[in-house]
Amino acid sequence: MRRVGFVLFWLLGAALAQGIKVGVLAPLSGPAAADGKSVLSGIQIAADEINASGGLLGRKIELVVYDDQADPRLAVNFARRLIELDKVAFIIGGSYSGASLAASPVANEAQVPFIAAYAVHPDITHGKPYAFRMGLLGPVQGRVGAFLAHRLGAKRVAILSIQNDFGRSLEQGFRDQAAKLGLEVVFSEVYPPGNQNFSPLLARLKASGAQAVYASGYYAEAANLVRQARSLGLDIPIIGQEGYDSPKFIELAGPAAEGVYITTTLDRDSQSPEVRGFLRKYQERTGLPADMVGASGYAALKVMAQAAQRAGGLDGTALRRGLLGLINLETAVGKIFFFTSQGDPVKSATVQVVKNGQFRRFLNVTDLTLLKP
């Protein structure tokens, strides 16, 4: 009997010593590499914090990371590898909407929880009980953009959308809210990812008489867009989104970035200990100011850990139960009021404006009529 007890004790100790594997998909090379490295830094900071405080359910977190290059085909293959070969407990999707749209069904079918750190497309989670999201849905963020245009006094607005899932989901939300607020869309165009010459589009936009422009894109396109807009004398508010939320945008756009608004979830002026602590640790680790992408990766792992601790387990059913039980949770990317049954957070948003070469708070948004998916 004593021998059986010893064996059970040894097996328990061996299980605890094994650690918990957490999968990460992120674009660590290619055009989206800056975002991929940032989200991975955020996740690593969170893993270090959790491990230093005793681990998750008493076990150390071990990250298993693959570079999906924001390519849906690579994302699918790596998601299968994480599930079938690496045997991860859950996956953090640290990539863009296209790659996350491809990876989440693979995880959902295997009943391995997947959380998209910052991808905005609704179909990443919808109809997939094991898929969740940390960031704002695209349509929700679009609504906040229209609210901001109205708040800035615009009645005639223009839309410039990047031609992919990210741009389409943002535009949908902007148009819906603009119609409710009585904003007239006087100009609308799409452009391909990687576009560098916006001058012809901007010249026509200027002639439209728009009083504000809602322009989606990632930091590289956004920097070109605002530089060329200002050089054409287009002196109207430019409203961007999370895709602009990077120190690279301010660096590349230079003085033209001043006065640009973005809707995002990282409030640099928040006094929340969670936000202040993250901003300090990110700067110490990377030598750079934090961005929304890094903060979202950090928050995604910490929220999944809280859900697992709450539920007392790591399987899909336990994590789903744990996430749905979280309410009024302060994170590095805003307050999560609750998660919907579709796996999306109802959470706060912030509008930041570039002042003196830095993102600063313009206003925070907590109106649930805007924020509910």
Side-chain angles (χ1 to χ4, degrees):
M1 188 67 183
R2 184 178 297 173
R3 180 175 177 78
V4 171
F6 173 77
V7 170
L8 290 174
F9 180 78
W10 182 84
L11 289 172
L12 177 60
L16 291 174
Q18 278 185 346
I20 294 171
K21 290 185 178 180
V22 174
V24 178
L25 297 174
L28 301 175
S29 61
D35 282 338
K37 291 171 183 173
S38 179
V39 76
L40 180 57
S41 293
I43 294 167
Q44 289 169 331
I45 293 169
D48 289 348
E49 271 186 28
I50 293 166
N51 287 339
S53 62
L56 175 55
L57 301 173
R59 296 160 64 187
K60 297 286 187 186
I61 288 177
E62 300 171 4
L63 300 179
V64 183
V65 183
Y66 289 110
D67 174 11
D68 69 12
Q69 300 178 37
D71 182 331
R73 292 168 300 177
L74 290 177
V76 166
N77 291 337
F78 287 138
R80 289 187 179 131
R81 184 182 179 92
L82 286 169
I83 293 163
E84 295 168 8
L85 297 179
D86 299 312
K87 308 292 184 186
V88 298
F90 58 88
I91 298 172
I92 299 176
S95 200
Y96 291 179
S97 284
S100 298
L101 271 169
S104 71
V106 176
N108 184 67
E109 186 176 347
Q111 300 184 5
V112 172
F114 176 96
I115 183 165
Y118 60 93
V120 302
H121 199 285
D123 290 344
I124 293 168
T125 53
H126 289 189
K128 304 175 184 69
Y130 298 96
F132 307 92
R133 186 191 318 274
M134 190 66 231
L136 282 177
L137 273 170
V140 171
Q141 201 169 158
R143 277 185 231 147
V144 175
F147 162 80
L148 175 62
H150 185 259
R151 174 77 176 260
L152 292 172
K155 292 182 171 53
R156 296 159 55 83
V157 295
I159 301 173
L160 274 180
S161 292
I162 191 166
Q163 196 169 18
N164 61 14
D165 292 323
F166 174 63
R168 282 187 283 272
S169 60
L170 290 164
E171 181 175 341
Q172 176 196 328
F174 184 88
R175 283 185 178 276
D176 290 347
Q177 189 65 22
K180 289 179 182 175
L181 295 171
L183 303 181
E184 181 185 2
V185 178
V186 296
F187 181 88
S188 178
E189 276 288 357
V190 296
Y191 68 88
N195 188 49
Q196 296 184 1
N197 182 11
F198 290 90
S199 293
L201 281 178
L202 291 168
R204 290 194 286 121
L205 189 158
K206 185 178 180 182
S208 73
Q211 297 166 318
V213 54
Y214 185 68
S216 61
Y218 305 109
Y219 63 82
E221 293 98 347
N224 283 322
L225 189 153
V226 303
R227 267 204 326 270
Q228 292 166 32
R230 297 314 185 205
S231 67
L232 283 172
L234 188 63
D235 190 22
I236 60 175
I238 297 176
I239 301 172
Q241 320 74 32
E242 291 180 345
Y244 292 45
D245 191 332
S246 165
K248 294 293 288 183
F249 165 70
I250 295 175
E251 174 191 329
L252 295 171
E258 291 294 309
V260 170
Y261 299 91
I262 64 168
T263 58
T264 185
T265 52
L266 175 59
D267 177 9
R268 279 82 170 172
D269 292 314
S270 170
Q271 294 306 307
S272 156
E274 186 73 4
V275 178
R276 303 312 314 166
F278 167 74
L279 292 173
R280 176 178 54 78
K281 290 173 184 174
Y282 187 95
Q283 179 82 43
E284 289 173 353
R285 190 181 193 98
T286 67
L288 297 169
D291 58 14
M292 173 281 303
V293 170
S296 297
Y298 174 83
L301 179 51
K302 292 196 71 173
V303 165
M304 291 299 274
Q306 288 194 47
Q309 295 282 12
R310 179 184 177 88
L314 285 163
D315 63 277
T317 302
L319 275 172
R320 180 175 177 77
R321 184 173 65 247
L323 283 164
L324 293 177
L326 295 175
I327 57 171
N328 296 326
L329 181 67
E330 295 290 348
T331 77
V333 282
K335 182 175 183 176
I336 295 177
F337 298 103
F338 58 89
F339 279 91
T340 71
S341 60
Q342 292 282 8
D344 295 319
V346 179
K347 60 185 296 187
S348 62
T350 183
V351 175
Q352 305 269 290
V353 62
V354 180
K355 282 185 180 176
N356 300 319
Q358 294 184 318
F359 288 113
R360 310 304 312 190
R361 180 196 295 163
F362 181 70
L363 60 87
N364 284 341
V365 180
T366 56
D367 181 353
L368 294 187
T369 59
L370 281 174
L371 299 171
K372 276 186 179 177

